[in-house]
Amino acid sequence: MANPFSIFEAAADCPDRVGLRRAGQDYSFARLARLTENTIERLHKENVLPEKGRPMIIEGTNTVETIVLLYALFELGVPALMLHPKLTAAERHVLLESIRHIKDPLPEDAAAVLFTSGTTGLPKPAIITRKMLIESARASEQNLGWQDNDCWQLCMSVTRIGGLSILTRCLFARKTLAISPLFSPESFTKALLDDKVTITSIVPTMLAKVFETYPQWKAPETLRVILLGGSSANDKLLNKAHEHELPIVTTYGMTETCSHVVMTPYADRLKLVKGSGKVISGAQVRVRDGQIEVNSPMNTPGYWGRDPIATSWFETGDLGEFDEEGILHVFARRHDLILSAGENVYPLEVENMLTRSPFIKEALVIGEPNETWGAIVCALIVPEKGTHPKPEDVRRFCKETLSAYKCPRKIAIVDALPINAADKPDRRPQVLERYSLTPLHYKH
């Protein structure tokens, strides 16, 4: 195909095939092409397209309109700067301010810019190129293959690399993309049946919550694979999935590698899965001094507005090792990064937001290991002199300024933050055992 990103070419190849499914309604590739054409006309008429080399900002949820807008931008060669729909206004402002003064044009091959938490500072704008998405789709296909009736469920945000890559893989292969509502065990299991889903991508917390709601749940016959990524699944969950004969393929990857570069071999999906899988076709993964590094055509060329990444080996900052069977075991993701319910929570970002409060002088954010959530976000807070904040004050401030998944669920008011031998903040989870933590509840 001349342009794998073209919805118009897809419509020419297979006009009547279902390209998108949402809430029981099917959209053929021909219909999606017409909607895309209308969107392109609207974008020109409203004169909202950015200058060459600049991205168009998208704050999209998983709707038909967002998917069609992305098809339109692919067609026009305009990169999309994707903002997660869970971001608060304050978080969006900080991210947009961080790129406002970037003068460098994006590379011509850029398809998207996705913010990702690095090992220091604010989330960084990672460049996702068309080549990265194409190579990632090819490598994934080498393992999973495609079947005539395949329908890949999108139940995570399309503004994350895991979601965006599902969209492009389905477009390239002329397969059905099924948009599901925001995750709940009830809606997830219902959509699997209603949409005749054959492939789904979820994080371990989602699967744990399904089992909490439906202890005897088994996958419908149509579901041939469950990609489990975003964080490492614990052995207890993997054992339960195996007992229930779920077709599990664990994965490991990140925004900078355009989704997964390690996967369980598809042929092993019904076996008891351990670890994150094996290195996929086209990628190289090594462990040096305990840290995972990746070299592949899926690697990002760099972060927008910063110097290109100098080496072909991307240093993930994650800790792990390969076993004798070539399976990668990930021990820690970017040692100070908190993975809670499959979402990346960067402590410094939360701490910076907390200290904007008039009654918080200092804050230290630490992840408390948890079997269901992966980790619970906890905060140690030093009040400003003369103030006496209560847990309710902290809860209210967090709710107003932070996305729900970043809000501390437990806090302790302390006189001083713990430090280590190097006089740096001590972020070890064991530190939390010294304090009496107060739970915060955000539902009301």
Side-chain angles (χ1 to χ4, degrees):
M1 60 186 73
N3 180 7
F5 288 86
S6 175
I7 192 68
F8 298 139
E9 287 193 16
D13 293 342
C14 44
D16 298 327
R17 188 176 299 171
V18 177
L20 185 65
R21 183 171 288 154
R22 180 181 182 275
Q25 185 175 5
D26 287 348
Y27 294 75
S28 68
F29 279 108
R31 183 180 178 189
L32 291 171
R34 289 194 296 272
L35 291 172
T36 302
E37 187 172 16
N38 293 339
T39 298
I40 290 173
E41 290 178 2
R42 176 179 60 79
L43 293 173
H44 284 301
K45 183 178 180 180
E46 295 176 357
N47 196 29
V48 293
L49 290 170
E51 298 177 3
K52 185 176 177 60
R54 306 293 296 184
M56 184 166 185
I57 297 170
I58 292 182
E59 301 178 48
T61 52
N62 289 1
T63 62
V64 175
E65 291 75 19
T66 298
I67 301 301
V68 169
L69 175 57
L70 285 169
Y71 290 153
L73 295 180
F74 290 158
E75 203 70 40
L76 295 168
V78 175
L81 188 144
M82 314 281 271
L83 295 180
H84 198 293
K86 291 182 181 179
L87 293 174
T88 65
E91 290 166 330
R92 284 197 301 272
H93 175 75
V94 170
L95 292 180
L96 293 177
E97 275 296 304
S98 72
I99 63 164
R100 189 163 63 90
H101 298 294
I102 295 177
K103 303 297 184 185
D104 301 335
L106 286 164
E108 286 192 16
D109 194 37
V113 177
L114 303 182
F115 283 100
T116 179
S117 295
T119 53
T120 58
L122 284 169
K124 297 182 287 187
I127 299 169
I128 306 299
T129 66
R130 293 178 173 231
K131 182 186 180 212
M132 290 168 63
L133 290 164
I134 292 170
E135 294 292 344
S136 180
R138 286 174 178 165
S140 180
E141 181 180 356
Q142 285 285 317
N143 186 28
L144 300 179
W146 286 108
Q147 297 182 4
D148 290 342
N149 67 334
D150 269 338
C151 172
W152 200 323
Q153 182 188 51
L154 177 60
C155 59
M156 65 179 70
S157 173
V158 73
T159 62
R160 295 174 59 187
I161 189 59
L164 179 63
S165 60
I166 292 172
L167 182 154
T168 52
R169 287 170 194 158
C170 289
L171 176 59
F172 299 167
R174 313 309 195 222
K175 300 298 181 182
T176 305
L177 172 70
I179 306 174
S180 292
L182 290 177
F183 177 85
S184 72
E186 296 82 4
S187 64
F188 171 73
T189 53
K190 184 177 187 299
L192 290 178
L193 288 167
D194 292 349
D195 293 337
K196 299 181 177 61
V197 171
T198 63
I199 308 174
T200 188
S201 302
I202 57 176
V203 299
T205 302
M206 292 178 178
L207 184 57
K209 293 177 86 62
V210 169
F211 280 135
E212 286 177 9
T213 306
Y214 306 109
Q216 302 306 317
W217 183 73
K218 290 194 174 185
E221 291 184 4
T222 52
L223 188 63
R224 68 182 181 94
V225 62
I226 300 172
L227 272 70
L228 201 61
S231 62
S232 297
N234 60 55
D235 288 346
K236 183 177 180 180
L237 181 63
L238 291 175
N239 283 331
K240 189 161 189 176
H242 179 61
E243 290 170 5
H244 288 243
E245 300 178 328
L246 299 186
I248 298 292
V249 168
T250 55
T251 69
Y252 167 78
M254 60 205 67
T255 304
E256 290 93 338
T257 62
C258 201
S259 193
H260 48 251
V261 289
V262 170
M263 301 174 73
T264 301
Y266 178 71
D268 295 339
R269 67 195 182 283
L270 293 173
K271 296 180 181 179
L272 179 56
V273 173
K274 297 292 183 183
S276 296
K278 297 183 177 180
V279 180
I280 62 176
S281 173
Q284 293 177 286
V285 179
R286 69 185 183 189
V287 177
R288 287 206 313 169
D289 300 324
Q291 296 200 38
I292 301 167
E293 299 181 354
V294 179
N295 179 14
S296 80
M298 289 82 85
N299 282 18
T300 180
Y303 304 100
W304 188 30
R306 306 191 185 192
D307 291 335
I309 294 174
T311 174
S312 60
W313 286 94
F314 177 73
E315 299 175 356
T316 68
D318 298 342
L319 306 179
E321 70 177 16
F322 285 99
D323 64 20
E324 63 277 3
E325 297 178 11
I327 296 172
L328 179 67
H329 297 263
V330 181
F331 303 138
R333 302 286 306 258
R334 307 186 185 209
H335 38 276
D336 55 351
L337 191 67
I338 299 170
L339 281 174
S340 181
E343 297 282 2
N344 289 347
V345 180
Y346 189 67
L348 279 180
E349 183 186 9
V350 179
E351 291 161 8
N352 289 338
M353 198 64 74
L354 286 173
T355 52
R356 290 185 175 193
S357 163
F359 53 78
I360 297 177
K361 179 182 178 182
E362 294 179 286
L364 181 65
V365 173
I366 302 172
E368 180 185 70
N370 180 272
E371 189 170 273
T372 298
W373 298 99
I376 294 174
V377 180
C378 303
L380 304 178
I381 291 171
V382 178
E384 286 285 0
K385 188 176 181 179
T387 67
H388 304 280
K390 298 178 180 178
E392 173 56 25
D393 300 322
V394 178
R395 186 198 71 85
R396 187 182 301 111
F397 180 80
C398 291
K399 188 175 181 181
E400 292 173 353
T401 59
L402 287 165
S403 301
Y405 68 89
K406 297 178 186 175
C407 288
R409 301 289 159 167
K410 296 181 181 180
I411 66 163
I413 306 298
V414 300
D415 294 326
L417 299 181
I419 57 174
N420 60 23
D423 289 329
K424 294 181 180 180
D426 192 346
R427 298 184 184 278
R428 294 174 302 137
Q430 301 93 302
V431 168
L432 296 173
E433 297 171 4
R434 308 175 195 168
Y435 304 94
S436 178
L437 298 169
T438 301
L440 299 184
H441 303 286
Y442 292 87
K443 289 186 178 180
H444 303 292

